[in-house]
Amino acid sequence: MPGLFPLSCRLAAFCPSSSSCTVSWRRDVTCCACSWEVQGGGCISLCPRFFFALIFHQVRDAGEDDPFLLLSEDLKRELSAGQIYRRSLRCIDMLSTEGQFTFTADQPQLHCATFFIGEPEELITIHYDFVNIDCRGGDFLKVFDGWILKGEKFPSSLDHPLTTSQRYVDFCESGDVQRSIRSSQNVAMIFFRIQQAGNGFTVTVKKNSNLFPCNVISQTPSGRFTMVIPHQHRNCSFSIIYPVVIKISDLILGHLNGLFLKKPSAGCAGVGDFVELLGGAGLDPSKMFPLADLCHSFHGSAQMKIGCDNTVLRMVSSGKHINRVTFEYHQLDLQETETRKENSIEEFCFPSI
């Protein structure tokens, strides 16, 4: 698919912070395929248009569960019967279901993380059941409210109610004082370093309903969503880590029709309530390229093809209105890049280097 994904590979942004990590890459007809050697030998190959790939391939190469835990019929029956789902964690892992999860180090593990994701309308609670780590010896176990990778955060610092330092909860500092941590959105993660074999921890993960989901990372490359901000002064981002076609069918901001392409001196500057579409290669919406502004309410269809690694719809709300936007999205395919549709904006994406 030449030209479908105009951004070049940036595998270095996804590699573990290890001096032994070496990078080689190539481009083929379907994706940007890259590989690197990992500590202890072996090679992982992946298509890192979105950073899920790092976790997906590490888990897949282990020959175990799907990283998104696409539930088997046996597991569905087990969970529906009220039993707690249990399994071991890997050094790099991703989970999308409730359960009890245990990590036990079989060797020093210095750079580990587990990514948790729920449905858009869910919050995630992480509870420490058991912790056996050497805090004084340099071990740590931290929960982060959101996702962070190579310094890029979701939600961005501009869109989260807490400061960056407040979004970290360090077990070695809080201990038994705070054994349960609830996320502010449908994603959360834990970082940990455990240097002594046999040490580890057990956590229970539960999900709670969120009446007005704000910041969301989509698990899937297609879907439909309505974002509502009811008289709240806040910013909300919906992130789709795929190149997509996104179609906005309904926008209520409380104030005439208009769709504006971003220009250096134009757009929605000075308007307290608006929606913007962003595109880029990283995780942080504040570091992405602004593609279009929607400043006024409308009913109908506004469509855009965005060939970026990550697409974000972001609503900025002054708190003076009940703002609502309904949109649907699906992953771009080759045919859609060659066919221009009515009432659509030409696909483009600028690299963020």
Side-chain angles (χ1 to χ4, degrees), residues 55-56 59-60 64-76 78-79 84-90 93-101 114-119 205 207 219:
I55 306 154
F56 178 87
V59 174
R60 188 192 69 176
E64 300 180 27
D65 305 284
D66 187 289
F68 285 108
L69 287 175
L70 303 175
L71 303 182
S72 66
E73 291 302 318
D74 290 341
L75 181 52
K76 288 178 181 179
E78 178 182 339
L79 297 179
I84 299 176
Y85 176 64
R86 294 181 173 88
R87 80 159 169 86
S88 298
L89 292 176
R90 309 168 188 86
D93 216 332
M94 176 176 282
L95 296 167
S96 64
T97 191
E98 296 179 322
Q100 188 177 70
F101 307 97
T114 300
F115 296 79
F116 301 95
I117 187 167
E119 296 299 325
V205 176
K207 298 178 181 179
Q219 293 189 48

Side-chain angles (χ1 to χ4, degrees), residues 293-311:
D293 282 346
L294 293 93
C295 307
H296 307 289
S297 302
F298 72 88
H299 299 277
S301 179
Q303 178 174 286
M304 189 171 190
K305 294 184 287 186
I306 304 176
C308 302
D309 294 359
N310 190 6
T311 300

